[in-house]
């Protein structure tokens, strides 16, 4: 388990109370194999807590760093061949067992079949959110966690929003990952 702790004073000072309640509601509504599961929420005098699923594989940003560049290659190859990121059923392995021998050192990248696997998994999770009427609004590699078997788990539903209409125009998320439709003001 992972325990997310939020200081009540901080939540109030930053006027995040509504956002925290919406995050809790999103976790309750969005039960899916590719979204971090919330087992419960509770509080004490000073803090709010979310008891969440533990994603032992770290985040996609770190996995990309491990997979890319010559200095990281040997360690990443050992991790993948040791089964740390391979699917549970090794007879139908989706992820490759060997890393390519030369990845560009300044631009870490996954092998194409890994990228397809991660992108498809993320798309399935986002589709589930859309079917439930939610938009994620904070998709970035740091919010895509990997479980012990290498499967994705979308995390940090703090900016997730249930929408009644087809679009939302609020600007939230991380500046480096702002989608073009938001920059253009199209929602």
């Amino acid at each position: 388990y992972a325990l997310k702790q939020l200081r009540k004073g901080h939540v109030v000072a930053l006027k995040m109370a509504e956002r925290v309640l919406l995050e809790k509601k999103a976790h309750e509504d969005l039960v899916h194999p590719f979204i971090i599961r919330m087992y419960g929420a509770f509080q004490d005098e000073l803090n709010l807590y979310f008891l969440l699923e533990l994603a032992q594989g770290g985040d996609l940003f770190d996995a990309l760093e491990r997979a890319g560049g010559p200095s990281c290659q040997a360690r990443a190859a050992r991790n993948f061949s040791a089964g740390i990121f391979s699917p549970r059923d090794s007879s139908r392995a989706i992820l490759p067992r060997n890393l390519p021998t030369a990845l560009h050192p300044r631009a870490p990248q996954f092998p194409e079949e890994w990228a397809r696997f991660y992108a498809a998994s993320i798309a399935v999770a986002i589709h589930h959110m859309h079917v439930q009427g939610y938009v994620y609004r904070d998709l970035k590699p740091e919010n895509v966690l990997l479980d012990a078997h290498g499967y994705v788990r979308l995390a940090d539903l703090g900016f997730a929003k249930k929408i009644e209409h087809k679009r939302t125009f609020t600007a939230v998320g991380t500046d480096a990952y702002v989608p073009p439709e938001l920059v253009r003001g199209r929602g």
Side-chain angles (χ1 to χ4, degrees), residues 54-71:
L54 178 63
Q56 294 175 310
D59 66 42
L60 199 59
F61 187 86
D62 289 339
L64 182 59
E65 289 294 314
R66 287 191 305 266
S71 63

Side-chain angles (χ1 to χ4, degrees), residues 6 11 17 29 34-35 40 42 56 69-70 80 97 99-100 116-117 156 159 163 178:
L6 301 165
V11 169
D29 291 348
F34 294 154
I35 298 174
F42 54 96
Q56 294 175 310
F80 280 93
R97 289 294 193 187
L99 286 170
R116 281 195 313 258
F117 173 75
D156 196 359
F159 288 130
I163 57 173
V178 171

Side-chain angles (χ1 to χ4, degrees), residues 63-140:
L64 182 59
E65 289 294 314
R66 287 191 305 266
S71 63
C72 301
Q73 223 165 359
R75 180 177 43 154
R78 283 193 308 273
N79 287 344
F80 280 93
S81 66
I84 292 173
F85 295 111
S86 63
R88 291 177 191 187
D89 182 358
S90 59
S91 66
R92 298 184 309 122
I94 296 170
L95 298 176
R97 289 294 193 187
N98 300 313
L99 286 170
T101 55
L103 293 175
H104 193 286
R106 287 175 284 153
Q109 55 187 288
F110 291 121
E112 187 175 335
E113 60 186 343
W114 295 6
R116 281 195 313 258
F117 173 75
Y118 291 137
S121 301
I122 293 165
V124 168
I126 296 291
H127 178 262
H128 174 74
M129 292 181 81
H130 289 181
V131 167
Q132 300 300 317
Y134 281 87
V135 290
Y136 186 53
R137 304 191 315 164
D138 200 18
L139 184 59
K140 58 185 176 181

Side-chain angles (χ1 to χ4, degrees), residues 150-178:
Y151 290 96
V152 302
R153 299 289 192 276
L154 290 185
D156 196 359
L157 301 180
F159 288 130
K161 179 179 181 180
K162 187 154 183 125
I163 57 173
E164 303 297 323
H165 308 289
K166 300 254 182 211
R167 297 178 190 265
T168 181
F169 291 87
T170 50
V172 298
T174 305
D175 291 340
Y177 300 103
V178 171

Side-chain angles (χ1 to χ4, degrees), residues 39-54:
Y39 296 102
F42 54 96
Q43 62 182 314
D44 61 22
E45 194 172 298
L46 299 175
N47 300 296
L48 303 168
Y49 302 95
F50 291 165
L51 185 62
L52 304 167
E53 171 185 14
L54 178 63

